[in-house]
């Protein structure tokens, strides 16, 4: 038999606490600290606010990425730095990547290339092309 009024009352999320949790999660505040601010246990936080914790982080990352992309598209020194960062992180660019070395052409490929470019820079080349 349980007695009414015993123990801690159940936590009921509000729009205000949902917004707070989403914002703090987006700012990178640890869950233990968010739970303390809301006045609940970290397990209760994860139970009631799982979506807000995940969405806060996603929305913050998207906002920063949008700002970085906007900066990268500007013809300024900051834009250049942002573009280089973007390409290194998103496109895998690296100044340490090995240089691409073209493999030498075989006899047939070299002969075909030479035949196609034989007239380049000559009067015959202008007549043929």
């Amino acid at each position: 038999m349980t007695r009414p009024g015993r123990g801690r009352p159940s936590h009921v999320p509000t729009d205000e606490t949902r917004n707070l949790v989403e914002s703090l999660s987006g700012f990178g505040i640890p869950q233990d600290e968010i739970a303390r601010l809301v006045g609940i246990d970290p397990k209760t936080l994860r139970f009631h606010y799982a979506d807000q914790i995940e969405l806060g982080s996603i929305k913050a990352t998207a906002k920063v990425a949008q700002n970085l992309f906007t900066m990268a598209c500007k013809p300024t020194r900051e834009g250049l730095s942002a573009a280089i960062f973007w390409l290194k992180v998103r496109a895998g660019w690296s100044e340490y990547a090995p240089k691409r070395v073209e493999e030498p052409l075989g006899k047939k490929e070299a002969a075909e290339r030479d035949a196609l470019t034989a007239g380049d820079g000559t009067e015959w080349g202008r007549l043929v092309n």
Side-chain angles (χ1 to χ4, degrees):
M1 206 187 263
T2 60
R3 296 183 192 167
R6 294 276 182 167
R8 198 174 208 180
S10 252
H11 176 73
V12 179
T14 64
D15 288 341
E16 184 181 352
T17 56
R18 283 189 182 95
N19 291 335
L20 177 65
V21 170
E22 187 174 299
S23 295
L24 294 174
S25 174
F27 299 147
I29 305 298
Q31 290 180 17
D32 289 350
E33 294 178 20
I34 296 172
R36 174 135 178 151
L37 280 169
V38 175
I40 57 176
D41 188 76
K43 289 179 189 175
T44 305
L45 176 81
R46 288 187 288 276
F47 178 78
H48 288 289
Y49 299 98
D51 281 345
Q52 286 75 26
I53 291 168
E54 188 176 351
L55 289 173
S57 180
I58 292 168
K59 287 179 180 180
T61 301
K63 199 175 223 180
V64 171
Q66 179 183 12
N67 189 38
L68 176 65
F69 182 78
T70 301
M71 287 176 60
C73 293
K74 291 183 180 174
T76 62
R77 180 176 291 274
E78 292 80 15
L80 175 62
S81 296
I84 290 169
F85 177 79
W86 182 274
L87 290 170
K88 283 181 178 181
V89 173
R90 297 293 304 248
W93 286 23
S94 170
E95 61 268 23
Y96 305 110
K99 303 274 188 265
R100 284 190 179 162
V101 178
E102 291 188 30
E103 293 187 28
L105 297 176
K107 290 180 185 178
K108 290 181 181 178
E109 290 88 359
E112 186 176 330
R113 181 203 56 210
D114 293 342
L116 292 172
T117 59
D120 288 357
T122 68
E123 188 175 326
W124 284 100
R126 284 178 288 195
L127 292 174
V128 174
N129 294 328

